[in-house]
Amino acid sequence: MTDATNQRPSLPDHLSIDPRSPHYAPAVFEFEIGIHFNDKERFDVEEYCLSEGWVKVPAKKTLDRKGKPLLIKIKGKVEAFYK
């Protein structure tokens, strides 16, 4: 089990799940990632920044003009971890 944890890349400060974003890291997504936001686990996080303390989540069913979910930025305490 220690071999699997040694092979995991360190979690970046800023990470996005959108492959078109400059903050996308495909090596990180080979493993399951969890996000704690204000001491609660969130499952709808699209992007986060640990140093600035924010996450971007979809705004309900609202879509932008390209058909992607409209994201809102929420500030608070952010922690990222491998499950």
Side-chain angles (χ1 to χ4, degrees), residues 16-82:
S16 174
I17 66 169
D18 186 7
R20 297 175 294 154
S21 171
H23 302 290
Y24 178 73
V28 173
F29 290 113
E30 292 178 5
F31 304 98
E32 194 171 354
I33 300 170
I35 304 291
H36 278 149
F37 181 71
N38 290 337
D39 299 324
K40 292 183 183 176
E41 189 167 4
R42 296 284 303 245
F43 301 101
D44 59 347
V45 175
E46 300 272 332
E47 187 173 351
Y48 74 80
C49 183
L50 298 174
S51 63
E52 295 177 14
W54 55 261
V55 296
K56 286 188 180 180
V57 296
K60 299 188 181 182
K61 296 181 181 180
T62 310
L63 302 176
D64 66 5
R65 64 181 178 213
K66 296 179 183 176
K68 303 243 181 225
L70 190 64
L71 302 177
I72 57 174
K73 186 188 284 189
I74 306 172
K75 293 188 176 194
K77 181 181 169 190
V78 181
E79 298 174 27
F81 61 93
Y82 285 113

